[in-house]
């Protein structure tokens, strides 16, 4: 059985690597993405959207996040 991270822990991890991901080259992005997926259990495409900021903006716009 796979243990999952709490939502707060996943959000903290996202915030901590998001800027580094955006400013990295392709090879480093791939390594950061692989680690993020391994830690959070997110699907690869969803993780990419989160790291690029697309999903969070939609959630904030809908009033789901502050």
């Amino acid at each position: 059985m796979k243990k999952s991270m709490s939502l707060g822990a996943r959000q903290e991890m996202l915030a901590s690597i998001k800027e580094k991901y955006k400013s990295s080259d392709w090879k480093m992005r791939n390594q950061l993405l692989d680690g993020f997926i391994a830690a959070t259990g997110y699907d690869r495409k969803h993780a990419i959207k989160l790291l690029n900021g697309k999903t969070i903006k939609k959630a904030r716009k809908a009033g789901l996040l502050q």
Side-chain angles (χ1 to χ4, degrees):
M1 186 166 133
K2 184 177 178 182
K3 290 184 180 182
S4 62
M5 297 174 74
S6 70
L7 179 59
R10 288 182 296 213
Q11 289 175 342
E12 285 180 27
M13 185 173 191
L14 174 63
S16 70
I17 67 168
K18 189 173 185 176
E19 290 305 316
K20 186 173 183 177
Y21 178 84
K22 285 183 175 183
S23 63
S24 297
D25 65 353
W26 181 84
K27 192 173 187 178
M28 186 61 169
R29 278 186 177 206
N30 199 24
Q31 291 175 348
L32 289 169
L33 181 60
D34 288 342
F36 185 67
I37 290 168
T40 61
Y42 285 141
D43 181 64
R44 189 169 189 85
K45 292 292 182 177
H46 181 66
I48 291 168
K49 288 178 185 177
L50 288 174
L51 289 167
N52 285 325
K54 295 176 184 175
T55 303
I56 290 188
K57 288 179 185 176
K58 285 183 181 178
R60 282 191 179 133
K61 197 172 194 178
L64 301 174
L65 295 174
Q66 294 182 11

